[in-house]
Amino acid sequence: MTLRDYLDLVRAPAVLSVVGDTLAGAAAGGRLDPARRAAGAGPDVRPWHLALLPLSSACLYAGGMALNDYADRELDAVERPERPLPSGRVSPAQAFGVASGLTVVGLALAGVGGGRRSFALAVPLAASVWTYDLVAKNHVTGPVVMAACRGLDVLMGAGLGRVRAALPAAAALTVHTAGVTVLSRGEVHGTTQPVAAAVAAGTAGVAGAVTMGALRSLCTRPTAALASAPSSVRSSGGRVDTLGRARAVVPAAAALVSAGVYVTSCLPHQAAAVGSPDATNAFAATKAGIRSMVPLQAALAARGGSLGSVAVLAGVELAGRALRARGRRRVSPNPGLSES
């Protein structure tokens, strides 16, 4: 198995769509916000360790991709003979070994990067990935299990004990993932207008919820800034006002811009699938849904006050565009930690 075969097996470019999950979860849970850490929501691990959580997500994602090809090797021999297993470039044993190894590495990185609180959520996440690939993929519950994978990935970033704070962010990624997964089932034979319309409505709902959350932060974040400010700053009302406005307006603006990029990236393709639910439009809408996950993650991270995460995800977006511009293999149509 060559390096290129390995990269094809794990759908390397698609890994970029998952690294922002834990950043969004960590921001929502207060692990990346100095004001919330000062208020008692600080991390249970060193902040720099949290950088390992996106790597954990990437390993679990890539392992799920390899496991998907192992489970689908007979079907792919008919529908996708160019894939690594049916083409003979990778053996079933090699694919299963890659899936197992990456899962173990992903769990280890979750424990080191996020401590026990993240590891406690990484275990059910890994179990959900394997359940989807081996059991639920072709069942009616498949989209639900896939969406749960994405939601758990976000919660892993927040860690046990901060789940409640991260639930809105997890719900946004869960709803989006469920919709794109349902659409991906029509990439070969087409979808239906009711399904495409429901997915488009879900996208509009997610964008609306993120927008409302960003606007609410304009009211709540100045208070947090005041609480975390030094006493010398609190004694100066003007300085507090400036600090509070900056900590509220800048992240909210970043969240609104990212939400706008998210909705304009995928909603037009979903609307096209509503008008003509054939396989071509279903595939285009699915691909757009995958690519729009990065701006959605950025919007959620900004709403959580982490501009650093927004900068990282902007780099991820640029890297993804560069890879696509170089004409690499098309990104797999599955948005979660596995593939249909």
Side-chain angles (χ1 to χ4, degrees):
M1 182 171 61
T2 66
L3 176 61
R4 180 171 180 177
D5 295 334
Y6 169 79
L7 295 176
D8 286 348
L9 177 68
V10 301
R11 313 296 192 277
V15 173
L16 294 175
S17 72
V18 77
V19 296
D21 287 349
T22 53
L23 294 177
R31 281 178 151 180
L32 302 176
D33 189 338
R36 295 172 70 179
R37 290 203 302 269
D44 53 304
V45 297
R46 294 181 183 274
W48 68 268
H49 283 182
L50 296 175
L52 296 178
L53 291 180
L55 297 179
S56 171
S57 298
C59 287
L60 294 174
Y61 182 103
M65 292 292 189
L67 185 64
N68 168 81
D69 275 19
Y70 170 81
D72 277 1
R73 58 192 184 278
E74 295 181 0
L75 178 63
D76 285 346
V78 177
E79 294 187 350
R80 301 176 178 92
E82 75 282 358
R83 285 188 171 175
L85 269 73
S87 67
R89 292 181 287 136
V90 177
S91 71
Q94 287 175 321
F96 189 83
V98 168
S100 301
L102 286 173
T103 299
V104 171
V105 172
L107 290 171
L109 289 172
V112 175
R116 291 176 295 177
R117 294 184 177 185
S118 290
F119 184 78
L121 291 160
V123 172
L125 168 58
S128 297
V129 172
W130 281 64
T131 298
Y132 177 83
D133 280 327
L134 299 179
V135 179
K137 183 189 309 179
N138 297 317
H139 191 265
V140 67
T141 60
V144 176
V145 177
M146 175 57 65
C149 289
R150 207 73 191 226
L152 285 168
D153 198 32
V154 175
L155 295 180
M156 182 175 74
L160 202 63
R162 299 179 180 85
V163 167
R164 182 174 180 179
L167 278 178
L173 264 300
T174 297
V175 170
H176 181 76
T177 300
V180 180
T181 305
V182 170
L183 273 180
S184 74
R185 292 188 163 192
E187 68 160 359
V188 175
H189 304 293
T191 184
T192 66
Q193 285 185 326
V195 167
V199 173
T203 295
V206 167
V210 173
T211 299
M212 292 302 297
L215 294 176
R216 282 196 300 269
S217 72
L218 289 172
C219 300
T220 60
R221 200 169 296 279
T223 302
L226 174 61
S228 63
S231 58
S232 60
V233 175
R234 289 198 299 270
S235 64
S236 174
R239 291 174 65 188
V240 169
D241 288 343
T242 301
L243 176 66
R245 282 196 297 269
R247 288 190 175 179
V249 172
V250 176
L256 292 174
V257 170
S258 298
V261 174
Y262 159 68
V263 75
T264 56
S265 295
C266 60
L267 191 57
H269 295 279
Q270 294 167 354
V274 174
S276 180
D278 55 36
T280 300
N281 283 334
F283 175 73
T286 300
K287 183 167 61 174
I290 297 170
R291 293 176 178 175
S292 66
M293 283 185 173
V294 175
L296 175 57
Q297 293 158 350
L300 296 170
R303 193 178 70 176
S306 178
L307 293 177
S309 295
V310 176
V312 170
L313 289 169
V316 169
E317 176 68 13
L318 291 175
R321 294 189 179 191
L323 287 175
R324 293 192 292 271
R326 290 178 61 183
R328 292 196 176 186
R329 290 177 179 269
R330 72 182 187 185
V331 176
S332 163
N334 190 288
L337 296 179
S338 182
E339 183 182 283
S340 60

